[in-house]
Amino acid sequence: MSTRPSGQDRPADPAAPARDGAADRVLSTAPLQSDSTQAVTRTFEQRFPGIHVDAVRVTPMTGIYEVQVGMDLLYTDAQVDYVLQGSMIDAHARRDLTAERLEALQQVAFGSLPLDHAIKQVKGTGARKVALFEDPNCGYCKQLHRTLEDVDNVTVYTFLFPILTPDSATRSRNIWCAADPAKAWKAWMLDGQEPAKAECDTPIQDNLALGRKLNVQGTPALFFADGTRVNGALPLEALKKKLDALGQEPAPAG
């Protein structure tokens, strides 16, 4: 199953379960809606009651199918007599096909994110864009914001994602409802300045639902304009390199 990324805070009991060769050895990019894959789906769910199969795909290994359950990948035969967990390696090209699949599954179209539910901070031209899922009590998030102080020409969208401590939701609400949420967020994350009590309608429950949908299990989680994501705080040079590689505005959704 998935392992905890470094540089990321996670709740003690996360709700969610936890990636060059010849073209004929590449895993298919979508579920193959055939009789065989549908049969594997039915049989798998019968063998494991309560487990929902999100997708079944053929693999380059004859007679073996990839079974997607949430963000986990398993492998099985056509009769689901045996189930394997681990990495499928293309021995000729030395490629980890499982890792490639998981990376593709985690990509998110930046334009599809509800950015009006996020705190927006613009530095310089704001040309590069990154969306963060953060808990106000996340130490690694605070470390990331100290790193961002040395990054220019970036727009940062923070989705408040209170999952770590009982007062995370209260502090998130106070920050969102402040007269200047971006200022209140920065004051808390960089200087430890407690936000004043405030109440209003917030998007926090929507953010939590979105995070579950995107399989965000810890904070910070970073989503870049090219659709890629990183779980955990990046060091300065790695963050600059990633942002420098973006190069263009994200395409709108739809």
Side-chain angles (χ1 to χ4, degrees):
M1 295 291 179
S2 55
T3 58
R4 174 176 177 166
S6 60
Q8 189 178 56
D9 286 331
R10 301 180 68 179
D13 184 20
R19 59 39 306 204
D20 296 318
D24 61 355
R25 292 196 297 272
V26 178
L27 288 173
S28 61
T29 58
L32 179 62
Q33 296 302 316
S34 65
D35 290 343
S36 61
T37 58
Q38 291 175 10
V40 170
T41 298
R42 288 193 300 269
T43 305
F44 195 98
E45 291 181 342
Q46 290 169 0
R47 292 262 198 273
F48 302 96
I51 297 295
H52 171 72
V53 173
D54 291 285
V56 171
R57 304 175 181 89
V58 296
T59 74
M61 188 178 295
T62 303
I64 300 299
Y65 295 82
E66 174 194 284
V67 179
Q68 179 187 340
V69 178
M71 293 296 288
D72 288 318
L73 296 180
L74 306 168
Y75 300 97
T76 188
D77 60 296
Q79 293 74 39
V80 196
D81 288 330
Y82 300 94
V83 177
L84 304 174
Q85 180 179 356
S87 293
M88 179 176 286
I89 306 297
D90 180 337
H92 293 274
R94 305 295 177 87
R95 291 169 49 206
D96 186 335
L97 301 181
T98 304
E100 291 177 9
R101 162 73 72 223
L102 288 173
E103 182 177 355
L105 289 175
Q106 291 188 44
Q107 291 202 350
V108 175
F110 196 90
S112 71
L113 295 172
L115 299 178
D116 58 328
H117 287 184
I119 295 172
K120 180 180 179 181
Q121 299 179 79
V122 180
K123 296 188 64 179
T125 65
R128 288 95 55 86
K129 292 177 170 59
V130 60
L132 314 176
F133 281 74
E134 300 185 274
D135 184 296
N137 293 320
C138 164
Y140 287 114
C141 300
K142 295 176 181 180
Q143 175 181 315
L144 176 60
H145 278 272
R146 289 191 292 271
T147 299
L148 283 166
E149 286 293 282
D150 294 319
V151 177
D152 204 4
N153 300 328
V154 62
T155 301
V156 179
Y157 296 93
T158 292
F159 288 90
L160 295 171
F161 194 65
I163 58 173
L164 295 178
T165 67
D167 70 337
S168 291
T170 300
R171 190 165 279 139
S172 294
R173 182 203 65 205
N174 291 342
I175 289 170
W176 179 264
C177 297
D180 186 338
K183 182 178 179 181
W185 178 248
K186 184 175 181 179
W188 167 249
M189 297 302 281
L190 293 180
D191 302 322
Q193 182 177 329
E194 187 73 42
K197 182 178 179 180
E199 296 204 22
C200 66
D201 292 331
T202 77
I204 291 172
Q205 289 304 314
D206 290 338
N207 290 353
L208 291 170
L210 176 63
R212 288 191 292 269
K213 179 180 177 182
L214 299 179
N215 196 44
V216 176
Q217 297 185 24
T219 54
L222 294 75
F223 293 80
F224 293 95
D226 61 356
T228 59
R229 69 190 287 176
V230 172
N231 296 320
L234 286 172
L236 179 60
E237 290 309 312
L239 181 58
K240 283 184 174 180
K241 182 178 180 181
K242 178 62 182 177
L243 289 171
D244 288 343
L246 296 180
Q248 61 182 4
E249 298 287 324

